[in-house]
């Protein structure tokens, strides 16, 4: 009996994954119907990202270092955060846009589908963010290249960085989902997103030692954006802490996403439609 | 021929209605201000951190805190205006055809509404954020507030330029479904070329040249220099010239819009 239940569960998981991939393909196809718009958006996204990095680069060019962190090290923090955010927004953009579903009552339609809400929600906003990938990848390649050349880091830094980007993406997704869940009570979440996503991610592009103790503590625990770039960079770039950073990052990202999922489930059980 | 002058009362009413519509949500917006002030505080922390290891030129750490406080406050007047003045939505719903049929010029109509929005944002966003940041950073208004009249005059010009730029970005919705990217691109340029976070004289030479060839420095940097008591009143001439040039471009783009718009059933 138990074996049969386990087989059924595996089969339904396989079906969900298959369905998820089909929905993603549909979403990509619909976007590619407007090729000029796609190219236009990609170019502008890259320019926006570049201008954001220029702002940081200019500060570093003017002052040399930020609290002992060189331009390449801060470039690394910026690039890891950009790529982790890109990963989160590629797969989880609709979680970030949940307010629209709540305000316009679109969530009610998703609730009537014979699928978990997250599964029908996530593929809708799937988008390929070439602009961000190109720009984040270029800054990462530049900063890693310079540090490899100077002997500050070894080639091991590359797989370690990829690991940090993946766990970072998961952490950002968890923060985004937990923030969005508050919308089941408050409906409007943009203000909260400004604090937990926009401001927090901007803060974590710089070394956390810039901030007062209470703020860096907050960015490592309550809104753990410090786990995305800063914590792995301490080991990968500066040889501080130890190899234990990686299992800790893996465990922390699993923990935050599980907590966020539980919160989401609880939140959705309390959801009341805004009506139409 | 559509007259601009004969509709003064209409424009006043449109502005007043936009203001009144916003005031319904002032409680929620006042809460929103904490998020904006948090951003300002974050940028201030970066300059405090930098100021610990480096001298911050003529500004000094306190000067940079004043600088960030004023630019963060000014964003709600000079930058966070309605995306494309609402034209992209009008294009999508077809409302634009009706708007063009009205006996008022589209630019003047949308501008009047936006002035109401900006007046609201100034009172319920800029001023509270300014007060919160002054308190959080332990600052007092520069020169007892005597620099404010000139700074606010320059800021009013910046608001007008923001309206013009958003109008043109809105009109681009007739050619692309991705006009929102122009809005975000404009925000990014505001951060970089308007001197939102870094005073323009600290930018590399080539970028300073690019910045001064655009209207951006007159949108944040010039008002902030007036606030800090460092601005040359001649800068106001630059604001005036850009206001005139952008108005002309808005008129020309309205002509292009009228040629482009087509109604497909209903």
């Amino acid at each position: 009996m138990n074996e049969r239940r386990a087989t059924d569960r595996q089969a339904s998981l396989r079906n969900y994954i298959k369905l998820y991939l089909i929905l993603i393909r549909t979403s990509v196809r619909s976007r590619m119907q407007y090729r000029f718009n796609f190219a236009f958006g990609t170019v502008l996204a890259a320019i926006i990202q570049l201008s954001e990095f220029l702002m940081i680069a200019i500060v570093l060019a003017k002052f040399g270092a930020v609290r002992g962190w060189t331009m390449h090290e801060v470039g690394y923090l910026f690039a890891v955060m950009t790529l982790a955010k890109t990963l989160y927004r590629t797969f989880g953009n609709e979680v970030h846009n949940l307010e629209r579903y709540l305000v316009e009552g679109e969530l009610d339609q998703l609730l009537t589908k014979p699928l978990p809400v997250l599964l029908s929600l996530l593929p809708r906003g799937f988008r390929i963010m070439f602009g961000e990938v190109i720009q984040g990848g270029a800054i990462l390649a530049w900063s890693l290249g310079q540090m490899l050349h100077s002997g500050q880091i070894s080639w091991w830094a590359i797989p370690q960085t990829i690991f940090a980007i993946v766990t970072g993406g998961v952490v950002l997704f968890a923060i985004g989902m937990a923030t969005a869940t508050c919308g089941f009570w408050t409906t409007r979440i943009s203000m909260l997103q400004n604090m937990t996503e926009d401001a927090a991610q901007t803060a974590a592009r710089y070394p956390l030692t810039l901030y007062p103790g209470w703020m860096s503590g907050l960015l490592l625990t309550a809104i753990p954006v410090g786990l995305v770039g800063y914590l792995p960079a301490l080991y990968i770039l500066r040889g501080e802490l130890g190899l234990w950073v990686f299992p800790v990052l893996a465990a922390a990202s699993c923990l935050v996403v599980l907590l966020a999922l539980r919160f989401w489930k609880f939140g959705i059980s309390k959801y009341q439609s805004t009506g139409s | 021929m559509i007259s601009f002058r004969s509709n003064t009362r209409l424009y006043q009413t449109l502005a007043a209605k936009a203001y009144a519509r916003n005031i319904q949500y002032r409680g929620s917006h006042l809460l929103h201000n904490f998020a904006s002030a948090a951003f300002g505080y974050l940028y201030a922390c970066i300059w405090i951190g930098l100021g610990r290891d480096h001298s911050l030129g003529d500004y000094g750490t306190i000067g940079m805190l004043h600088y960030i406080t004023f630019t963060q406050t000014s964003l709600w007047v000079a930058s966070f205006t309605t995306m494309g003045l609402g034209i992209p939505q009008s294009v999508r719903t077809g409302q634009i055809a009706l708007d063009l049929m009205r006996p008022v010029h589209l630019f003047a109509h949308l501008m009047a509404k936006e002035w109401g929005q900006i007046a609201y944002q100034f009172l319920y966003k800029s001023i509270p954020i300014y007060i919160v940041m002054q308190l959080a950073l332990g600052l007092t208004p520069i020169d007892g507030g005597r620099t404010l009249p000139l700074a606010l005059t320059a800021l009013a010009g910046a608001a007008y330029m923001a309206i013009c730029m958003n109008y043109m970005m809105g009109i681009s919705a007739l050619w692309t479904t991705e006009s929102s990217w122009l809005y975000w691109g404009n925000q990014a340029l505001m951060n970089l070329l308007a001197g939102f976070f870094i005073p323009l004289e600290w930018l590399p030479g080539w970028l300073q040249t690019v910045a001064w060839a655009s209207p951006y420095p007159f949108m944040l940097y010039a008002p902030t220099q007036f606030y800090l008591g460092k601005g040359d009143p001649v800068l106001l001439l630059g604001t005036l010239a850009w206001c005139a040039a952008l108005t002309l471009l808005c008129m020309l783009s309205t002509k292009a819009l009228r040629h482009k718009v087509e109604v497909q059933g209903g």
Side-chain angles (χ1 to χ4, degrees):
Chain A
M1 189 69 178
N2 279 343
E3 263 179 42
R4 197 176 155 190
R5 211 175 283 167
T7 321
D8 284 351
R9 207 176 296 159
Q10 272 180 2
S12 75
L13 187 68
R14 260 202 308 275
N15 282 338
Y16 279 152
I17 293 171
K18 223 166 138 185
L19 188 65
Y20 179 68
L21 293 175
I22 291 171
L23 290 170
I24 281 180
R25 212 178 306 147
T26 316
S27 175
V28 172
R29 260 192 209 163
S30 72
R31 273 170 200 278
M32 293 308 271
Q33 296 300 310
Y34 302 98
R35 282 169 203 273
F36 166 73
N37 295 317
F38 180 75
F40 184 63
T42 301
V43 170
L44 278 172
I47 292 172
I48 291 169
Q49 291 292 321
L50 191 69
S51 75
E52 283 183 11
F53 178 66
L54 266 179
M55 229 164 70
I56 297 177
I58 289 163
V59 170
L60 287 159
K62 170 88 184 153
F63 298 106
V66 178
R67 303 258 77 199
W69 288 63
T70 64
M71 190 192 293
H72 304 128
E73 289 172 331
V74 178
Y76 178 90
L77 288 181
F78 182 91
V80 169
M81 177 55 79
T82 302
L83 293 172
K85 186 181 168 186
T86 303
L87 198 63
Y88 152 45
R89 288 296 191 87
T90 298
F91 293 98
N93 198 42
E94 289 313 90
V95 163
H96 182 78
N97 292 334
L98 189 73
E99 184 177 297
R100 176 165 55 86
Y101 289 83
L102 295 169
V103 172
E104 293 172 15
E106 282 182 48
L107 194 74
D108 300 6
Q109 292 172 22
L110 298 184
L111 284 166
T112 59
K113 291 189 178 179
L115 283 173
V117 173
L118 261 184
L119 189 67
S120 39
L121 186 68
L122 292 183
R124 287 177 159 227
F126 181 87
R127 56 196 185 133
I128 306 166
M129 299 165 71
F130 281 126
E132 288 83 348
V133 171
I134 293 167
Q135 196 271 343
I139 293 174
L140 185 65
W142 167 74
S143 44
L144 280 177
Q146 294 293 321
M147 287 186 280
L148 275 169
H149 185 68
S150 68
Q152 184 184 344
I153 52 170
S154 71
W155 287 99
W156 274 110
I158 295 170
Q160 288 167 347
T161 302
I162 294 170
F163 181 82
I165 291 168
V166 174
T167 54
V170 174
V171 168
L172 295 182
F173 173 69
I175 295 170
M177 187 156 62
T179 309
T181 302
C182 296
F184 292 128
W185 287 276
T186 60
T187 307
R188 297 277 181 191
I189 47 171
S190 56
M191 181 198 92
L192 208 55
Q193 284 174 328
N194 275 345
M195 307 272 267
T196 61
E197 296 200 52
D198 304 333
Q201 286 166 17
T202 304
R205 288 170 175 175
Y206 291 89
L208 297 192
T209 42
L210 260 181
Y211 308 116
W214 65 268
M215 197 196 267
S216 45
L218 196 78
L219 297 173
L220 283 167
T221 51
I223 311 170
V225 284
L227 302 182
V228 178
Y230 178 70
L231 197 70
L234 282 178
Y235 175 74
I236 299 171
L237 307 186
R238 301 167 73 91
E240 293 171 22
L241 308 174
L243 256 181
W244 54 264
V245 163
F246 298 106
V248 164
L249 282 179
S253 56
C254 289
L255 182 70
V256 289
V257 86
L258 284 174
L259 285 173
L261 272 169
R262 290 204 75 162
F263 185 42
W264 171 272
K265 273 190 175 171
F266 176 68
I268 214 162
S269 71
K270 303 289 172 197
Y271 168 67
Q272 286 185 322
S273 172
T274 47
S276 61
Chain B
M1 183 68 186
I2 295 166
S3 161
F4 279 100
R5 277 176 301 173
S6 59
N7 291 312
T8 317
R9 273 190 67 185
L10 171 73
Y11 299 140
Q12 282 172 356
T13 310
L14 284 169
K17 293 281 180 197
Y19 180 89
R21 190 188 67 229
N22 273 289
I23 215 157
Q24 303 296 322
Y25 305 103
R26 63 184 179 278
S28 153
H29 289 163
L30 283 173
L31 276 176
H32 211 145
N33 292 339
F34 279 100
S36 188
F39 252 112
Y41 184 73
L42 172 80
Y43 289 122
C45 282
I46 294 171
W47 284 114
I48 292 170
L50 284 165
R52 270 189 238 138
D53 300 336
H54 309 274
S55 130
L56 300 181
D58 287 346
Y59 294 92
T61 305
I62 296 292
M64 279 314 295
L65 296 187
H66 280 294
Y67 186 97
I68 284 294
T69 299
F70 195 77
T71 55
Q72 183 69 24
T73 300
S74 306
L75 282 180
W76 291 96
V77 174
S79 181
F80 296 157
T81 41
T82 308
M83 190 185 287
L85 301 190
I87 299 173
Q89 287 94 316
S90 300
V91 170
R92 233 158 268 154
T93 57
Q95 173 71 28
I96 191 73
L98 294 175
D99 286 343
L100 285 169
M101 282 164 61
R102 293 180 202 280
V104 278
H105 195 282
L106 183 69
F107 175 62
H109 167 205
L110 296 179
M111 177 177 62
K113 283 210 281 194
E114 199 58 26
W115 273 121
Q117 174 84 22
I118 289 172
Y120 169 81
Q121 290 187 174
F122 177 70
L123 286 176
Y124 286 92
K125 288 180 181 254
S126 294
I127 293 177
I129 291 168
Y130 179 76
I131 294 169
V132 168
M133 284 191 67
Q134 291 267 326
L135 291 174
L137 298 171
L139 303 172
T140 47
I142 287 190
D143 209 7
R146 275 186 285 276
T147 57
L148 274 170
L150 209 51
L152 293 179
T153 307
L155 203 55
Y160 180 76
M161 284 191 264
I163 289 173
C164 293
M165 287 160 88
N166 267 282
Y167 181 74
M168 286 185 279
M169 282 184 258
I171 282 183
S172 74
L174 266 100
W175 285 268
T176 173
T177 56
E178 303 280 333
S179 59
S180 60
W181 278 110
L182 287 176
Y183 180 81
W184 297 118
N186 180 52
Q187 299 290 339
L189 290 177
M190 281 291 285
N191 287 346
L192 187 65
L193 303 181
F196 162 68
F197 179 60
I198 311 161
L200 289 186
E201 59 267 34
W202 291 353
L203 298 184
W206 65 271
L207 203 54
Q208 282 189 45
T209 312
V210 172
W212 284 108
S214 75
Y216 291 109
F218 300 96
M219 298 179 79
L220 281 183
Y221 180 75
T224 308
Q225 291 301 311
F226 287 129
Y227 175 69
L228 296 175
K230 296 172 185 281
D232 185 340
V234 174
L235 275 173
L236 280 177
L237 290 178
T239 304
L240 211 61
W242 273 110
C243 286
L246 290 170
T247 307
L248 187 68
L249 285 174
C250 286
M251 295 298 122
L252 292 175
S253 47
T254 310
K255 268 193 173 173
L257 166 85
R258 285 189 179 278
H259 282 292
K260 176 74 180 167
V261 79
E262 56 184 75
V263 181
Q264 298 178 336

